[in-house]
Amino acid sequence: MEYFDFGVNLAFWLTILSTLLCVYYGAVNWNKDGEEKPNKKAKQWAKLEDKIDGDL
Amino acid sequence: MGAFENIVIILYLALVGYLGYLGYKQTKSTEDYLIAGRDTHPFIMALSYGATFISTAAIVGFGGVAAWLGQSLLWLTFFNIFVGIFVAFVFLGNPTRKMGYRLNAHTFPEFLGKRFDSKFIQVFGAIIILLFMPLYATAVLIGGTHFISLYFHIDYNVALFTFSIIITAYVIAGGLKGVMLTDALQGTIMFFAMVILLIFTFDSLGGVDQAYTKLEMVWQQTVAPLAEVSMKELKPGSADFMMKLSTLWGFEGWSSMPQFLSNGWLFVITTITLGVGIGVLAQPQLVVRFMTVKSKKELNRAVLIGGIFIISMTGFIFIVGALTNAWYFEFNNGQNALQSAGSIGKVIPHFINEAMPKWFAFIFLFALISAAMSTLSSQFHTMGTAVGRDLVEQISKKNMNSTMVTRVGIMVMISFAVALAYAFDQQPAIIARSTAIFFALCASIFLPSFVGGLFWKRMTKQGAISSMLVGLITSSFWLMFVHFKEAKELGVCQALFGTNSLLSGKIIFVDALIIALPLSIITAIVVSLLTKPMEEKHLEKCFKD
């Protein structure tokens, strides 16, 4: 961007690049690491979480 | 308002009401969601995480700071996306989620307390949250209140009172945990509102080229002449006073960085960028959010949507914030943004009310208020669990009614936040500052123990406790006795030593985080290595399924 000085330009392009990195990472891994079977500990955790929320 | 605007507003409210009802009906318990295998649309899931991560209401405050200090604030956007989204979701999210289940931890203090097998850590963490989180809640309250006040042309205090009543009613009637669908809806509305705002701003200034040429010209015409004026001739807190101050701090325009290592540079980089940008990693409400994710897949998806969401929020508002100076100059008798709006916190609400069609201002107002409510309710949820689960259950006898104490605690917290919003309205840039203070404190106190707890088995209970104490003591000392702004306003240093700061020179512009975080990290490492490792059995409980 010709309107910014070097420091703001750097921030601007790093912002764009990091957004693209997020988009790329999310798109590539969109369906990866899924379908995890909840284990006993996760079940226990969820039960207690609902109780805490209910109390609040 | 004309008939068309009324129709748009009524249709919009009907849609919001319908979706809110639908969301309320579809709300599932955590158990249903995590265990029974029911799914939530990834878009809704990711957007609601994005909305939790950054308060859209506090953005109004930061937008005002951009109108004052310019687009050097884009450094914060970069940190928000790279650290707050990418690093947090890719590296911290899944380990946090898994360890949270293994330890059956439901709050951030409980997570740390159980990881290091220390009741003290849990209670200490809760006290820190209860002491400092109201600051962040205040920032959100002030942002929403300014908007209501300017839209309905009512006094700030009346708007604050009304807003507080609405929030209390919402919290009492609707429970504390945000409904995912409505969170996502608010996020979507804010996203489109920001896109429209950016396009409109450039369009009304004649395109990108014209807009930036005008912005430079406005600085030359309204700020550069202040070089001839002495600070003593200006009314403290006035628009010209603030702009003159920015030039003394090393700012040279709204599209450039302040001079390297100048007071302004240190403020933008250490307080705004690093304070908020790194501090987000140790946010209690975000850490808990990681545990409500079903699998790593959801975290992966949240990275994509979160990245786009954050650039459209902080990125766009910093650009628009700075450009409001050009818009006001052109359409408000040659005045810059601060001269037109009166104060930093009012710039964005004032601009939207003045520059945008009435119906757009209403939709923006409504989305902002809804976003503020969902942010506040998640903050009050965090404070409520800190009172009930981390404090009362840990230190009282079992027969104490923790639900009752929690509810009373939440009401006290709401009142405290409202009182702060009342007291701090006149402080310049308080919205951005109180957010920055809370984020920096969280990082200095919790971050080494949180990250060490996740990835370093050799970290000990003593290491975690010492690191937290060093983080708290150093940052409190810095805020009370050194940092140019807080030390002066808190007045402790003046009362004890007859001076606003114990140090002088540029160092007083360096944020507490820059001093406290490294010390806290070093303490965690050194004390852990000098103390006995935690028992293997305990570590297995933390790290093995």
Side-chain angles (χ1 to χ4, degrees), chain B residues 213-263:
Chain B
T213 311
K214 284 174 188 167
L215 190 63
E216 175 57 29
M217 181 266 294
V218 177
W219 179 275
Q220 294 308 330
Q221 295 210 14
T222 65
V223 185
L226 293 171
E228 313 296 323
V229 185
S230 126
M231 280 297 265
K232 285 179 188 158
E233 296 170 45
L234 300 167
K235 187 177 162 233
S238 67
D240 283 350
F241 179 91
M242 297 307 291
M243 292 317 304
K244 169 80 183 173
L245 186 66
S246 77
T247 61
L248 294 178
W249 280 4
F251 286 91
E252 295 171 323
W254 286 297
S255 300
S256 55
M257 287 297 288
Q259 286 159 17
F260 184 59
L261 289 183
S262 64
N263 300 346

Side-chain angles (χ1 to χ4, degrees), chain B residues 150-424:
Chain B
L150 286 164
Y151 187 84
F152 294 106
H153 301 286
I154 53 173
D155 179 58
Y156 173 85
N157 293 332
V158 177
L160 177 63
F161 180 71
T162 316
F163 194 27
S164 316
I165 301 267
I166 295 171
I167 287 163
T168 314
Y170 178 83
V171 166
I172 292 171
L176 286 167
K177 212 158 199 187
V179 181
M180 225 173 246
L181 191 67
T182 37
D183 271 3
L185 175 71
Q186 287 147 16
T188 313
I189 294 167
M190 283 304 286
F191 173 79
F192 285 110
M194 296 303 284
V195 173
I196 294 172
L197 191 63
L198 185 76
I199 294 171
F200 171 85
T201 308
F202 277 120
D203 185 55
S204 64
L205 289 167
V208 179
D209 259 340
Q210 286 277 323
Y212 278 105
T213 311
K214 284 174 188 167
L215 190 63
E216 175 57 29
M217 181 266 294
V218 177
W219 179 275
Q220 294 308 330
Q221 295 210 14
T222 65
V223 185
L226 293 171
E228 313 296 323
V229 185
S230 126
M231 280 297 265
K232 285 179 188 158
E233 296 170 45
L234 300 167
K235 187 177 162 233
S238 67
D240 283 350
F241 179 91
M242 297 307 291
M243 292 317 304
K244 169 80 183 173
L245 186 66
S246 77
T247 61
L248 294 178
W249 280 4
F251 286 91
E252 295 171 323
W254 286 297
S255 300
S256 55
M257 287 297 288
Q259 286 159 17
F260 184 59
L261 289 183
S262 64
N263 300 346
W265 190 92
L266 291 170
F267 179 66
V268 168
I269 298 299
T270 68
T271 300
I272 305 261
T273 304
L274 297 176
V276 179
I278 294 178
V280 75
L281 292 176
Q283 286 289 294
Q285 67 275 31
L286 187 77
V287 172
V288 174
R289 270 285 210 180
F290 285 142
M291 294 178 216
T292 57
V293 185
K294 203 169 7 181
S295 68
K296 192 166 181 286
K297 185 172 77 177
E298 265 84 22
L299 292 168
N300 296 339
R301 294 175 171 189
V303 172
L304 187 151
I305 297 169
I308 297 172
F309 181 72
I310 298 301
I311 197 174
S312 70
M313 293 291 125
T314 69
F316 288 6
I317 202 71
F318 293 158
I319 290 173
V320 170
L323 288 173
T324 56
N325 286 291
W327 189 89
Y328 277 117
F329 188 85
E330 191 149 313
F331 299 102
N332 196 29
N333 307 323
Q335 293 192 316
N336 62 34
L338 257 60
Q339 287 167 336
S340 306
S343 76
I344 293 163
K346 285 182 188 161
V347 171
I348 297 298
H350 191 271
F351 174 70
I352 287 166
N353 276 307
E354 291 293 314
M356 304 297 283
K358 202 76 180 158
W359 62 267
F360 179 86
F362 180 84
I363 288 177
F364 198 91
L365 167 86
F366 200 84
L368 196 93
I369 300 295
S370 321
M373 305 239 279
S374 74
T375 306
L376 284 165
S377 65
S378 89
Q379 289 171 344
F380 290 125
H381 182 270
T382 307
M383 291 190 262
T385 49
V387 172
R389 192 161 175 82
D390 298 323
L391 268 184
V392 179
E393 281 183 25
Q394 292 305 313
I395 58 180
S396 76
K397 301 270 182 286
K398 289 282 177 211
N399 56 6
M400 195 161 177
N401 185 347
S402 73
T403 308
M404 190 63 201
V405 178
T406 303
R407 286 180 183 163
V408 172
I410 290 170
M411 296 316 290
V412 172
M413 288 299 138
I414 294 178
S415 315
F416 185 39
V418 172
L420 286 176
Y422 174 75
F424 285 142

Side-chain angles (χ1 to χ4, degrees), chain B residues 1 43 119 287 431 444:
Chain B
M1 263 192 292
F43 173 77
K119 206 180 248 193
V287 172
I431 304 180
S444 309

Side-chain angles (χ1 to χ4, degrees), chain B residues 9 23 61 75 86 110 412 520 537 542:
Chain B
I9 289 171
W75 278 103
F86 193 77
E110 186 180 15
V412 172
S520 169
K537 208 175 155 195
C542 299

Side-chain angles (χ1 to χ4, degrees), chain B residues 511-524:
Chain B
D511 194 70
L513 173 107
I514 305 298
I515 309 296
L517 183 59
L519 284 178
S520 169
I521 294 172
I522 293 168
T523 309

